[in-house]
Amino acid sequence: MSARILVVDDIEANVRLLEAKLTAEYYEVLTASDGPTALAMAAAERPDIVLLDVMMPGMDGFSVCRRLKDDPETRHVPVVLVTALDGRADRVAGLEAGADDFLTKPIDDVMLLARVRSLTRLKAVIDELREREASGRRMGVIAGAASRLGGSGGRILIIDDNVRQAQRVCTELAIEHRPVIETDYDKALLSARGPVDLAIVNAGAKAFDGLRFCAQLRSDEATRGLPILAVVDFDERQRVVKALEIGVNDILARPIDPGELAARAKTQIRRKRYTEYLRNNLDHSLELAVTDQLTGLHNRRYMQGQLEALMRRAAAGGDPVALLVIDIDHFKRINDSFGHDVGDEVLREFAVRLASNVRAIDLPVRHGGEEFVVVMPDTSLEDARRIAERIRLHVAGSPFRVMGGEELLSVTISIGVAAGAGGEDSSQALLKRADEAVYEAKSRGRNRVIARAA
């Protein structure tokens, strides 16, 4: 997977070395020699990853990282700080500034590429969700802001057979989070499927294979998006690389530094919440796009796609398709006499009665206003007419309770029925016949079913 990588360093030789290594792996490389230029390029070029030197004159890497993470347009871009420093205070400072990881000079090529590949996968997922969310915003079906999402109060599962180490981690995290320790492999897999924000796994566990556990989390759909923080001895270079390759989100070096643990946990939880925010907004926007919000039935847009697919199948020799077009009689009179709130109550109650009187394979739809449609796969004209009559009798036979049960309204409906078996028939022609039939039903006194053959 290729990516655009912004390399920021005030020393030309360092920039050229990183550029050569990354270009050889088919990454597109952008370069900057100072903090202000890096910020401008990040905003204009939208890189996938920023490799950022810490020690730069003027604006250092910590300040640049903080500015990138404070900007809504760039806060989702992974930042890797590149430094000759290897002290605890510098790592914690970088993590608190929003950095995703560190690379220590001289840079290990294998570690560099493993980390870049890992962050590229993460960025690709977030980019897709952001793009879909942006489409939802343009449609007007997504609102809200992700800036309020924090990284505290997380539900953390600690998977470790080293009880003393696990307890130390648990005690440190309990200051801000809700950690739970699990030492059994199978029980931990089950627990991870629950409401968990972060899994911290001892990759060097003796009682079980920690990396295999991480791989199973990634292969299970229920836990695929769960962030994993692997505890690894950094001198076990091959294990670190393997952990990143199988999808571990972050690495924590042993012996564990409490400040670094807290900072890395907070970063992963914040990112998970941001991803969930995007994904939930996407699910909500898709639901709004195909659902009528008043009645809960599918809407006209969804119906058109389903009906056209069924008609194509019928035209290719598949089962016939029937259609009911239903109009609530004298609905304007209800609105004029009782108000639109009562009219909405009638629409909602009718939707419930309609949905409870059709088959599981049928598709009840609010077509618009007081008009409803039922798409009926594998249904003949006569069968559809019988079902329509059952719906009509159910509606007319029991008054609608409105205004908190204070009023009873007698409601009737007129139904037009049509069926098509393919050939020259189209979804538009089928809908037109059913529409003409409902108009005939209304002209003949309402509260009746009229069926129209092709």
Side-chain angles (χ1 to χ4, degrees):
M1 179 183 293
S2 189
R4 307 182 79 201
I5 302 176
L6 174 59
V7 176
V8 186
D9 197 316
D10 62 314
I11 300 175
E12 179 75 11
N14 293 343
V15 172
R16 295 305 164 212
L17 181 61
L18 276 174
E19 184 178 22
K21 291 178 179 180
L22 294 168
T23 302
E25 297 295 325
Y26 305 104
Y27 291 104
E28 180 183 349
V29 180
L30 310 170
T31 64
S33 59
D34 57 67
T37 303
L39 291 172
M41 290 190 71
E45 301 293 339
R46 304 295 173 88
D48 296 302
I49 299 172
V50 178
L51 296 181
L52 178 61
D53 187 44
V54 170
M55 303 299 290
M56 294 188 296
M59 183 183 293
D60 65 17
F62 297 139
S63 300
V64 175
C65 183
R66 197 172 292 110
R67 292 272 295 273
L68 288 171
K69 295 301 181 178
D70 285 343
D71 187 342
E73 295 301 315
T74 56
R75 65 161 54 107
H76 63 287
V77 178
V79 176
V80 179
L81 291 177
V82 181
T83 176
L85 306 173
D86 196 23
R88 167 204 176 272
D90 297 301
R91 287 201 306 274
V92 173
L95 291 166
E96 289 178 345
D100 294 85
D101 204 4
F102 287 84
L103 289 172
T104 304
K105 298 177 181 177
I107 295 174
D108 183 309
D109 292 1
V110 175
M111 287 295 297
L112 166 67
L113 296 174
R115 176 46 80 184
V116 166
R117 282 193 290 268
S118 173
L119 291 174
T120 299
R121 288 195 300 267
L122 171 68
K123 175 69 162 39
V125 171
I126 292 179
D127 278 351
E128 182 177 357
L129 292 173
R130 280 171 54 85
E131 180 61 34
R132 294 184 182 182
E133 188 211 24
S135 298
R137 288 188 185 280
R138 288 192 293 269
M139 292 166 57
V141 296
I142 287 181
S147 58
R148 297 188 296 273
L149 301 178
S152 60
R155 296 157 297 185
I156 301 177
L157 179 62
I158 303 165
I159 304 98
D160 196 342
D161 64 340
N162 184 333
V163 177
R164 290 183 61 190
Q165 176 176 272
Q167 192 58 57
R168 286 197 301 271
V169 170
C170 185
T171 301
E172 177 62 35
L173 293 174
I175 298 170
E176 286 193 82
H177 306 282
R178 291 169 287 162
V180 174
I181 298 172
E182 184 54 72
T183 59
D184 181 86
Y185 187 99
D186 293 326
K187 289 181 180 178
L189 281 176
L190 187 62
S191 297
R193 296 173 64 90
V196 178
D197 294 311
L198 173 65
I200 299 179
V201 182
N202 180 4
K206 293 180 171 57
F208 56 83
D209 187 336
L211 292 185
R212 183 175 297 279
F213 182 88
C214 295
Q216 281 199 251
L217 291 183
R218 283 292 168 262
S219 64
D220 187 340
E221 186 176 352
T223 57
R224 193 164 292 154
L226 177 64
I228 304 172
L229 179 57
V231 179
V232 183
D233 287 320
F234 256 99
D235 56 0
E236 295 181 312
R237 179 171 170 274
Q238 194 57 42
R239 182 171 286 175
V240 173
V241 172
K242 181 60 70 175
L244 293 170
E245 287 178 350
I246 64 178
V248 164
N249 298 77
D250 202 358
I251 301 294
L252 183 63
R254 192 168 30 220
I256 296 171
D257 178 85
E260 186 174 349
L261 166 66
R264 290 188 186 274
K266 185 175 289 188
T267 296
Q268 293 304 320
I269 291 170
R270 186 187 296 116
R271 182 182 290 139
K272 177 178 185 283
R273 288 173 178 170
Y274 178 60
T275 305
E276 286 181 342
Y277 161 84
L278 294 175
R279 188 169 283 117
N280 289 341
N281 267 347
L282 172 60
D283 291 343
H284 181 57
S285 68
L286 290 175
E287 181 182 347
L288 288 175
V290 299
T291 304
D292 173 62
Q293 296 304 294
L294 178 64
T295 64
L297 299 179
H298 282 105
N299 61 18
R300 182 174 185 166
R301 175 189 297 175
Y302 183 79
M303 180 209 74
Q304 287 174 331
Q306 298 299 307
L307 179 57
E308 287 173 5
L310 289 170
M311 291 300 290
R312 285 195 298 269
R313 191 177 71 180
D319 298 320
V321 183
L323 204 66
L324 310 184
V325 173
I326 307 168
D327 197 87
I328 299 177
D329 296 331
H330 301 298
F331 185 73
K332 184 176 184 301
R333 187 183 300 170
I334 294 173
N335 276 335
D336 292 344
S337 301
F338 297 94
H340 288 278
D341 287 345
V342 171
D344 288 349
E345 286 187 64
V346 169
L347 291 172
R348 283 192 291 264
E349 173 61 20
F350 174 71
V352 171
R353 296 192 187 195
L354 177 62
S356 62
N357 277 279
V358 296
R359 304 164 303 175
I361 63 170
D362 297 332
L363 176 64
V365 172
R366 186 183 179 197
H367 202 240
E370 68 271 26
E371 186 176 83
F372 293 77
V373 171
V374 181
V375 179
M376 311 180 77
D378 191 15
T379 308
S380 66
L381 183 67
E382 182 55 30
D383 287 341
R385 189 198 64 75
R386 281 198 296 269
I387 294 171
E389 185 63 24
R390 183 177 69 204
I391 296 168
R392 184 193 69 80
L393 290 172
H394 183 75
V395 171
S398 178
F400 284 41
R401 289 188 175 273
V402 296
M403 301 175 66
E406 295 178 6
E407 292 283 344
L408 293 175
L409 288 182
S410 293
V411 177
T412 63
I413 55 176
S414 300
I415 306 178
V417 185
E424 297 299 318
D425 227 352
S426 66
S427 59
Q428 292 86 354
L430 187 64
L431 189 58
K432 183 179 180 181
R433 284 205 305 278
D435 208 39
E436 289 172 349
V438 80
Y439 275 105
E440 182 181 343
K442 294 174 80 69
S443 67
R444 289 172 58 177
R446 295 183 169 85
N447 191 23
R448 65 188 64 232
V449 175
I450 298 292
R452 279 278 183 94

